């Protein structure tokens, strides 16, 4: 029987190459499974929250926050009738917006200020524009204010609360 000598260098090259092939194949399988689990082009999860009326659009005062909780009692929100159509606005005039009153930075409560039409967070002095989709004006949050109302009885959107017209 002939004895084969294997140098350390050849051994490391062989095992390193084999490990690279196995790692690449494993990563491809994991990536393929992850893509199969999520719809094409989707980068987020959409939950089917129940529709719920939060009030009559015609009876809402202009530029005043109306408090409600959605989708559960521990999720405070406000709806505001801005008085003129705004991007993402709902209702018969497209002037109603609704947002979570928890800051996207660390969950501190935000307050609506009618004079400037912004939400202000007292924890880190962040500000969000109520007329522009809750876009951050200044501060630390990585995201805009969370919108929590996106349909009406006239212009329905699936799986969102509604503001009744009237």
């Amino acid at each position: 029987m002939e004895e084969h000598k294997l140098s350390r260098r050849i051994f490391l090259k062989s095992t390193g190459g084999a490990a690279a092939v196995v790692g690449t194949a494993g990563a491809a399988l994991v990536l393929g499974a992850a893509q199969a689990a999520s719809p094409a082009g989707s980068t987020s999860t959409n939950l089917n929250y129940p529709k719920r009326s939060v009030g009559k659009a015609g009876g809402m005062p202009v530029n005043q926050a109306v408090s409600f909780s959605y989708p559960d009692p521990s999720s405070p929100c406000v709806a505001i009738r801005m008085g003129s159509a705004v991007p993402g606005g709902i209702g018969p005039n497209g002037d109603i917006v609704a947002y979570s009153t928890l800051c996207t930075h660390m969950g501190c409560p935000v307050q609506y200020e009618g004079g400037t039409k912004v939400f202000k967070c007292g924890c880190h002095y962040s500000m969000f524009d109520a007329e522009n989709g809750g876009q951050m004006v200044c501060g630390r949050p990585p995201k805009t204010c969370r919108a929590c109302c996106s349909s009406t009885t006239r212009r329905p959107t699936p799986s969102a609360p509604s503001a009744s017209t009237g």
Side-chain angles (χ1 to χ4, degrees):
M1 183 150 72
E2 191 175 314
E3 192 175 317
H4 293 284
K5 286 197 170 194
L6 186 62
S7 70
R8 186 175 6 171
R9 181 175 300 204
I10 292 173
F11 173 77
L12 291 174
K13 281 183 180 179
S14 301
T15 57
V21 168
V22 170
T24 302
L29 288 174
V30 169
L31 182 59
Q35 287 176 345
S38 65
S42 174
T43 58
S44 64
T45 301
N46 291 323
L47 301 176
N48 291 323
Y49 290 118
K51 289 186 178 185
R52 185 173 73 112
S53 177
V54 296
K56 299 272 185 195
M60 290 182 69
V62 175
N63 202 28
Q64 290 183 19
V66 176
S67 298
F68 66 99
S69 294
Y70 187 81
D72 56 54
S74 63
S75 301
C77 299
V78 293
I80 306 162
R81 183 173 170 207
M82 303 307 295
S84 60
V86 294
I90 63 168
N93 300 321
D95 65 342
I96 299 172
V97 294
Y99 298 101
S100 168
T101 58
L102 299 177
C103 182
T104 57
H105 178 225
M106 295 191 68
C108 294
V110 295
Q111 301 295 320
Y112 178 69
E113 187 177 276
T116 56
K117 296 186 178 183
V118 298
F119 289 94
K120 292 185 176 181
C121 176
C123 291
H124 299 103
Y125 309 106
S126 302
M127 294 171 55
F128 303 92
D129 186 349
E131 292 183 300
N132 197 17
Q135 182 176 0
M136 185 180 64
V137 176
C138 66
R140 300 185 71 148
K143 301 177 186 174
T144 60
C145 241
R146 290 183 188 101
C148 58
C149 188
S150 61
S151 72
T152 69
T153 54
R154 288 192 183 173
R155 297 187 312 196
T157 299
S159 303
S162 62
S164 301
T165 58

